[in-house]
Amino acid sequence: QVQLVESGGGLVQPGGSLRLSCAASGFTLENYAIGWFHQAPGREREFVAAISWGGDKTNYADSVQARFTISKDDAKDTVYLQMDTLKPEDTANYYCARDRLRLRGYPPVSARDFGSWGQGTQVTVSS
């Protein structure tokens, strides 16, 4: 079955970096867009970044533009989220998710377009 497993979260100081990984199994990663979302306590899940099935198109939330980079390695069945210049407001549980549609022409940004979710990895930015 479809499975997504996030890793790489942790505690980091403001201005620091982390790289999250999303290991995919049970489907062909190269056929699906993958997104990253985050959710802080008491807040709704929010879009962070997404990458198209071909890896040539990306979308980012305004709040992370120029600080975060999403990428994928189909040979390793893994999607990455490189997070630089981290801020305390980036503190949240981070989830990766698979597009509901195969070979969609663009990376979606709405949670409703994603049908399979991982369990999340916690990122805490604090001094």
Side-chain angles (χ1 to χ4, degrees):
Q1 77 260 24
V2 174
Q3 189 171 15
L4 299 166
V5 179
E6 303 91 338
S7 62
L11 173 65
V12 63
Q13 291 187 343
S17 297
L18 281 175
R19 188 177 79 159
L20 306 184
S21 298
C22 172
S25 61
F27 66 99
T28 302
L29 178 62
E30 63 187 11
N31 288 340
Y32 290 88
I34 299 292
W36 284 95
F37 291 75
H38 68 198
Q39 186 168 20
R43 301 191 63 170
E44 293 191 357
R45 193 166 295 190
E46 298 177 338
F47 171 76
V48 175
I51 189 166
S52 62
W53 61 269
D56 58 333
K57 301 182 182 71
T58 56
N59 278 323
Y60 294 94
D62 289 344
S63 61
V64 307
Q65 187 78 38
R67 298 190 298 122
F68 290 10
T69 304
I70 189 171
S71 61
K72 62 184 308 202
D73 186 336
D74 290 329
K76 295 183 178 180
D77 288 322
T78 302
V79 176
Y80 303 99
L81 184 68
Q82 177 66 41
M83 306 188 297
D84 298 319
T85 319
L86 281 160
K87 304 176 180 180
E89 51 263 43
D90 295 319
T91 295
N93 207 1
Y94 283 72
Y95 301 87
C96 63
R98 194 198 78 171
D99 194 348
R100 292 183 184 274
L101 296 183
R102 184 173 172 269
L103 301 178
R104 192 192 299 260
Y106 60 91
V109 302
S110 172
R112 293 173 295 182
D113 289 325
F114 293 88
S116 300
W117 295 79
Q119 293 302 304
T121 185
Q122 177 67 34
V123 171
T124 302
V125 185
S126 175
S127 55

